Amino acid sequence: MGEQIAFGLAAAGAIGSGILVITVRSAFQAAVALIATLISVAVLFLLAHAPFVAVIQVIVYAGAIVTLFLFVLAYLGERARRTPDRLARYQVFAWLVVLVLAAAGAIVLLTTNLARFNDAQSPSPELGSPQDIGNAFLKEHLLPFEATSLLLLVAAVGAVILAKRAVQSEGGR
Amino acid sequence: MTGLTVAATNMPTSSYLGVSLALFALGLIGVLTRRNPIMLLLAVELMLNAANVSLLGFSRHWNNSDGQIFALVVMVVAAAEVVIGLGLVVSIFRQRRGLDVDEMTELSG
């Protein structure tokens, strides 16, 4: 029973703050609402037997990525925060796409005959522990692990080059 | 394992996929209707989180940690995407003193 309540609260928190992220006018408030979404989703991860992923979610997403957003918003100042209006011309098309997608997803959820889909789950207690994740990463999934490190290196070099160009275009060194 | 693991065995996989669908739809609305590139990136983060929720739901469904590995890789990709995206936003903002994806049309030929 406790799990259902925790799941319900976390799901409501994630969806409610997700609505805030896309509706508030100020980008600053949207970034703060995204933190609430990310922490609610971390609670969902904890309930899905993924404690390690939940901790990484809070540290990397809420701690680093959103902080980077807030830093850039503070750096760009008031003009960037004063967001332009919504895209009025294609609004109908956008809602049509989203409604079709949501309807398709709901049909799949309601008609699937995947085994145990609507039953209570009983995963093994070791699932998602740091030992489990570490073993899986370094024994079975070494190539994706190295590929992500290469991706991070490329992203870091790319960010430095972008920043350097921006400074040079203003006459700096 | 210590107290970190919450003994959750009650929620069915379908409830995780329902939350995932709702978050993904919200993110898609945000991407399709906003014009500020920073708001677009925030909405893309919502969609990536929706994908992670369903990956972890299925990881629990099959009692297999591969889905969790996938979710961690998605987080790394999201971090790289935000770094490059915000770098582009800053450099565009410094050159044209404004942010509106409708006005960025140099590449449209």
Side-chain angles (χ1 to χ4, degrees), chain A residues 3 22 38 45 47-49 57 61 75-76 80 83 85 87 91 115-116 118-121 124 128-129 141 170, chain B residues 1 7-10 12 14 16 33-36 45 49 56 60-61 63 65-66 68 75 78 93-94 102:
Chain A
E3 293 98 42
I22 60 165
L38 295 174
F45 288 177
L47 293 170
H49 263 254
Q57 164 97 354
Y61 250 120
Y75 170 72
L76 293 183
T83 61
D85 282 325
L87 214 49
Q91 196 88 299
R116 303 182 288 116
N118 286 310
D119 302 342
Q121 303 288 315
S124 66
S129 67
H141 304 288
E170 293 194 340
Chain B
M1 279 312 294
T9 52
N10 279 334
S14 54
Y16 281 91
T33 58
R34 301 307 289 250
R35 284 159 70 193
N36 185 328
E45 296 303 310
N49 261 280
L56 290 190
R60 198 186 60 139
H61 186 90
N63 195 14
S65 59
D66 287 358
Q68 304 194 2
M75 282 185 198
F93 184 77
R94 289 171 69 132
D102 270 5

Side-chain angles (χ1 to χ4, degrees), chain A residues 72-73 76 79-84, chain B residues 35-38 88-90 92-94 96-104:
Chain A
V72 166
L73 285 169
L76 293 183
R79 278 170 304 169
R81 258 175 271 161
R82 209 176 45 221
T83 61
Chain B
R35 284 159 70 193
N36 185 328
I38 294 178
L88 286 171
V89 165
V90 169
I92 290 170
F93 184 77
R94 289 171 69 132
R96 7 157 100 238
R97 308 279 154 209
L99 286 172
D100 186 340
V101 286
D102 270 5
E103 291 170 4
M104 301 174 192

Side-chain angles (χ1 to χ4, degrees), chain A residues 48-53 123-141, chain B residues 1 59-60 63-69 72:
Chain A
H49 263 254
F52 184 73
V53 184
S124 66
E126 298 89 50
L127 178 68
S129 67
Q131 297 98 311
D132 190 30
I133 301 286
N135 273 327
F137 247 137
L138 293 176
K139 285 180 181 162
E140 295 163 49
H141 304 288
Chain B
M1 279 312 294
S59 159
R60 198 186 60 139
N63 195 14
N64 184 332
S65 59
D66 287 358
Q68 304 194 2
I69 302 290
L72 287 171

Side-chain angles (χ1 to χ4, degrees), chain B residues 17-78:
Chain B
L17 293 190
V19 174
S20 171
L21 176 65
L23 281 180
F24 192 90
L26 284 175
L28 192 60
I29 294 172
V31 168
L32 290 176
T33 58
R34 301 307 289 250
R35 284 159 70 193
N36 185 328
I38 294 178
M39 300 299 273
L40 293 191
L41 284 174
L42 286 172
V44 168
E45 296 303 310
L46 269 186
M47 293 166 79
L48 287 167
N49 261 280
N52 276 353
V53 169
S54 60
L55 280 171
L56 290 190
F58 275 114
S59 159
R60 198 186 60 139
H61 186 90
W62 301 115
N63 195 14
N64 184 332
S65 59
D66 287 358
Q68 304 194 2
I69 302 290
F70 216 129
L72 287 171
V73 173
V74 168
M75 282 185 198
V76 174
V77 172

